Amino acid sequence: MSEECYRESSNISEVEKAKSFISDNHLEIEKESEKLALLSNSVRLKIVLLLKNFNKLCVCDIGEILEVNQSAISQHLRKLKDGGILNKSREGLTIYYFIDEVNNPDLIGLLEKIFLFKE
């Protein structure tokens, strides 16, 4: 069986609309693609899922929950923060991480659909 594409007639108008759609949304596609790539790592995905369920956690909490050393957790948190998925706040000596839901509503909505979170 050949892998070439054969069609009886070309739908030039639909192809042009599709090209325009990709072109018009290129920047948003790239931005969201980078976020999804960050979440392709299971530890980072677990961190985001934990923060979705528990709102804010510190490095120590996350390391203990996932049984991963603090240095590795810190590196994952930095990548998620640099990628615009997380934010952080200081309370006394403790730094807490949380999901930046304002800048990630679509991403959070997607995670909610995939993992069926209950509000």
Side-chain angles (χ1 to χ4, degrees):
M1 181 180 275
S2 176
E3 302 236 352
E4 293 182 42
C5 175
Y6 293 102
R7 57 186 168 200
E8 294 194 19
S9 64
S10 175
N11 190 342
I12 295 170
S13 146
E14 284 297 304
V15 169
E16 290 305 317
K17 283 184 197 174
K19 284 182 178 181
S20 180
F21 169 78
I22 295 297
S23 177
D24 292 347
N25 293 288
H26 174 74
L27 293 176
E28 188 67 23
I29 291 168
E30 289 299 315
K31 183 175 127 187
E32 295 305 317
S33 173
E34 290 172 10
K35 289 179 183 181
L36 290 171
L38 282 170
L39 296 179
S40 70
N41 176 282
S42 66
V43 173
R44 289 193 290 270
L45 179 58
K46 289 175 188 175
I47 290 170
V48 171
L49 294 174
L50 283 169
L51 293 172
K52 174 61 185 142
N53 279 303
F54 299 97
N55 297 323
K56 66 179 184 177
L57 295 168
C58 69
V59 175
C60 303
D61 294 336
I62 297 168
E64 186 175 336
I65 294 163
L66 298 180
E67 298 179 347
V68 175
N69 71 55
Q70 287 183 26
S71 175
I73 293 297
S74 292
Q75 290 177 17
H76 287 297
L77 289 168
R78 182 188 48 75
K79 287 179 182 181
L80 290 166
K81 185 174 179 320
D82 290 350
I85 295 174
L86 299 184
N87 213 330
K88 65 182 181 179
S89 65
R90 179 180 292 276
E91 293 180 21
L93 297 175
T94 306
I95 297 174
Y96 288 97
Y97 288 84
F98 57 93
I99 296 174
D100 184 351
E101 293 196 29
V102 171
N103 292 314
N104 294 290
D106 295 334
L107 180 65
I108 301 311
L110 176 63
L111 290 174
E112 288 172 345
K113 286 179 184 175
I114 293 170
F115 293 99
L116 302 172
F117 290 113
K118 295 185 169 93
E119 293 295 321

